[in-house]
Amino acid sequence: MRRLLILGAGTAGTIMAHRMRSLLDPKEWSITTVDQRKTHYYQPGFLFLPFDIYRPKQLRKPIRKFIPSGVEFIRQPIDRIDPASDMVFLQDGRSLPYDILIIATGTDIAPQEVEGMCGPAWRRDIFDFYTFDGAKALRDKLREWDGGRLVVHICEMPIKCPVAPLEFAFLADSFFHEKGMRDRVELTFVTPLSGAFTKPTATEKLGHLLREKRIEVVTDFAIERVDHAEQKIVDYGGKEVPYDLLVTIPTNMGDAAIERSGFGDDLNFVPTDRATLQTQVKENIFAIGDATNVPASKAGSVAHFESEILSDNIMRYIEGKPLKDEFDGHANCFIETGHGKALLIDFNYTHEPVEGTFPFPGVGPLRLLRESRMNHYGKLAFRWIYWHLLLRGHHIPFVSATMDERGKNFGNTVSSKESGHG
Ligand SMILES: Cc1cc2nc3c(=O)[nH]c(=O)nc-3n(C[C@H](O)[C@H](O)[C@H](O)COP(=O)(O)OP(=O)(O)OC[C@H]3O[C@@H](n4cnc5c(N)ncnc54)[C@H](O)[C@@H]3O)c2cc1C
């Protein structure tokens, strides 16, 4: 028996377990997945939980429910990978040999990276919504908060779902309007980028929406520390932004097991070929999803697109064929803009998001980079698609793994070089 080992049973690891189990002969290949958790979270729902739009139980299900039959699941923290001996060591002392390894350990928040963030004010007047516990604590806070300065803040890039902080600001505007207290809330969006988003055309559109909703924007803010006694964030240039309630996206980092294995970059992301998804660590080690250092968005939709190319490439590797360098960084994301509307963006490494129609060129029915109710319903439908199609590795109808250039109004905006992460 040969052994395929998958580290992480989140979005990407679960999809790969399904795809590889259907491709590999069970008489020749065993498949094992390892994860420290027993619960699978629908992370896009963390955006809605603070506003009481989703309830906690809609966002979590047992991990085992999504492990396909014929795949072993080990619930245990991973200690480290030893590429030289093709072995993974678990924290309980077990060692797992492999012929092929897929790293899908994702990324998590690291609030300890910024001085003063994890002090006594953490989850009192400083919150995150990138974790289940954080989003739930913020929901409780927002239920009783009676207004003041709300600052939505990104520490540094890359972060998973780079549009989520903007969506949070838009939803906050909508939430306070509905509660009849918008005039008692000063909303500020603070970013290390030079604009609202990483790509120019979307930045213009989103910047306009921020102004329309009276959300002040502070750009180029490289945070140095949080002064929780004075309730302000301070950047390296001495700029200060005061807050009553800080909703921050802390630094996102790959897992410490990658650091212990000795091959991560300075944020513990795995050096990975952006087109084949083979790692630069060793030829029998592949990586997918948020764990990689590829300059695509860190998003569930991206992990799904990557899985179609990666499963093909693993089969080619086993058959001794050259790998296909086909992953183009395709990302597809709804951006909730509040008041029951949303935008949709579709882009890749070389083409920024522009206006157009999706998924059928010229027909739609979804409109790209334009607010609509239909897009909002698309965002809500994504939860069903996630649990029932995406996680099980099914192809999403009419959406290809690589980006379709048809139906998009590129005009002069086609960017021939990438413009940063996500
Ligand atoms: C607020 C928010 C909103 C989002 N919105 C969207 C959206 O609208 N659309 C979209 O496509 N994406 C969205 N995303 C992003 C999406 O959820 C992630 O990109 C996706 O889950 C990445 O999948 P992954 O498998 O790489 O990582 P994960 O799903 O995070 O899985 C990683 C797994 O590895 C396990 N693991 C890590 N280290 C170890 C270890 N040492 N030992 C054992 N197990 C380990 C973890 O327990 C985890 O289960 C959002 C994310 C957030 C936080």
Side-chain angles (χ1 to χ4, degrees):
M1 271 308 237
R2 286 190 284 167
R3 289 159 298 219
L4 169 67
L5 182 57
I6 304 173
L7 302 183
T11 314
T14 305
I15 298 172
M16 285 309 292
H18 279 273
R19 292 186 75 85
M20 295 318 297
R21 187 65 292 168
S22 66
L23 289 169
L24 292 173
D25 183 346
K27 291 196 228 57
E28 283 180 27
W29 282 90
S30 72
I31 305 180
T32 302
T33 65
V34 185
D35 202 295
Q36 61 210 351
R37 292 196 187 134
K38 62 171 194 250
T39 304
H40 189 117
Y41 293 105
Y42 173 63
Q43 297 178 46
F46 296 170
L47 172 70
F48 295 106
L49 186 54
F51 303 108
D52 265 322
I53 298 170
Y54 283 157
R55 280 164 290 125
K57 72 173 187 191
Q58 292 175 297
L59 308 183
R60 54 179 181 208
K61 294 185 195 281
I63 275 193
R64 281 185 191 277
K65 197 176 149 83
F66 298 97
I67 306 294
S69 68
V71 171
E72 184 192 11
F73 175 62
I74 298 175
R75 189 183 158 210
Q76 184 58 221
I78 299 146
D79 180 41
R80 68 190 172 87
I81 302 157
D82 180 27
S85 61
D86 294 330
M87 200 79 94
V88 167
F89 297 95
L90 304 183
Q91 277 187 10
D92 64 2
R94 262 183 287 178
S95 51
L96 304 175
Y98 61 83
D99 295 287
I100 294 178
L101 183 70
I102 301 174
I103 302 174
T105 42
T107 174
D108 208 348
I109 58 163
Q112 69 280 4
E113 289 290 302
V114 172
E115 186 193 324
M117 192 167 276
C118 289
W122 181 247
R123 300 211 172 140
R124 189 190 66 206
D125 41 41
I126 306 175
F127 291 83
D128 79 284
F129 67 97
Y130 265 46
T131 57
F132 179 74
D133 290 344
K136 206 150 139 295
L138 182 54
R139 176 201 65 181
D140 296 342
K141 178 75 180 183
L142 287 178
R143 278 179 179 171
E144 50 96 14
W145 196 58
D146 65 358
R149 293 165 302 190
L150 170 54
V151 173
V152 183
H153 162 250
I154 303 170
C155 282
E156 62 178 303
M157 301 303 283
I159 55 170
K160 51 184 156 185
C161 197
V163 292
L166 276 168
E167 293 180 282
F168 187 91
F170 293 144
L171 281 176
D173 167 69
S174 185
F175 175 79
F176 294 125
H177 260 295
E178 273 162 37
K179 283 184 96 176
M181 56 182 280
R182 180 63 179 92
D183 54 347
R184 297 207 305 275
V185 179
E186 218 176 89
L187 265 171
T188 309
F189 183 77
V190 182
T191 170
L193 299 170
S194 306
F197 189 50
T198 52
K199 315 276 181 184
T201 307
T203 295
E204 206 181 297
K205 184 90 187 177
L206 293 162
H208 179 73
L209 278 175
L210 286 163
R211 281 190 296 279
E212 200 179 286
K213 294 173 193 295
R214 291 188 296 116
I215 300 169
E216 195 197 330
V217 183
V218 178
T219 57
D220 301 303
F221 192 93
I223 190 163
E224 184 198 359
R225 64 191 167 89
V226 179
D227 184 336
H228 53 78
E230 295 281 319
Q231 292 192 305
K232 60 186 183 189
I233 47 176
V234 183
D235 94 338
Y236 281 100
K239 236 186 294 179
E240 296 182 350
V241 177
Y243 64 83
D244 295 304
L245 178 56
L246 177 66
V247 176
T248 187
I249 320 303
T251 304
N252 279 207
M253 291 183 77
D255 193 75
I258 305 301
E259 187 181 15
R260 289 191 291 271
S261 308
F263 52 71
D265 65 12
D266 56 351
L267 288 171
N268 298 344
F269 294 123
V270 181
T272 307
D273 185 289
R274 67 184 225 165
T276 65
L277 303 172
Q278 186 176 46
T279 67
Q280 283 139 13
V281 180
K282 199 173 169 183
E283 61 169 22
N284 62 342
I285 306 183
F286 297 82
I288 180 167
D290 296 353
T292 77
N293 75 339
V294 305
S297 262
K298 294 191 181 298
S301 63
V302 174
H304 186 260
F305 297 140
E306 288 175 332
S307 76
E308 298 197 13
I309 281 128
L310 181 56
S311 46
D312 225 20
N313 269 346
I314 290 178
M315 295 310 288
R316 294 178 80 86
Y317 174 77
I318 291 169
E319 289 156 11
K321 294 181 184 160
L323 304 188
K324 284 188 187 167
D325 52 356
E326 281 187 359
F327 182 60
D328 66 350
H330 187 196
N332 177 279
C333 198
F334 289 104
I335 307 176
E336 197 64 20
T337 53
H339 305 279
K341 291 188 182 168
L343 293 170
L344 175 64
I345 53 174
D346 193 58
F347 59 104
N348 67 8
Y349 289 139
T350 51
H351 293 75
E352 59 163 320
V354 291
E355 291 191 358
T357 47
F358 185 87
F360 301 111
V363 177
L366 300 174
R367 306 293 301 270
L368 294 168
L369 212 51
R370 283 253 187 104
E371 268 189 303
S372 76
R373 287 200 189 280
M374 181 83 107
N375 286 336
H376 167 68
Y377 294 126
K379 175 100 183 175
L380 297 184
F382 188 60
R383 184 164 59 94
W384 188 93
I385 292 172
Y386 183 87
W387 292 126
H388 296 93
L389 295 179
L390 188 137
L391 264 193
R392 294 172 204 271
H394 294 309
H395 183 76
I396 310 287
F398 318 118
V399 185
S400 56
T402 51
M403 195 197 76
D404 191 346
E405 291 181 26
R406 293 169 308 159
K408 295 191 170 76
N409 309 330
F410 287 118
N412 297 323
T413 64
V414 181
S415 46
S416 55
K417 58 183 174 52
E418 63 205 46
S419 44
H421 276 274

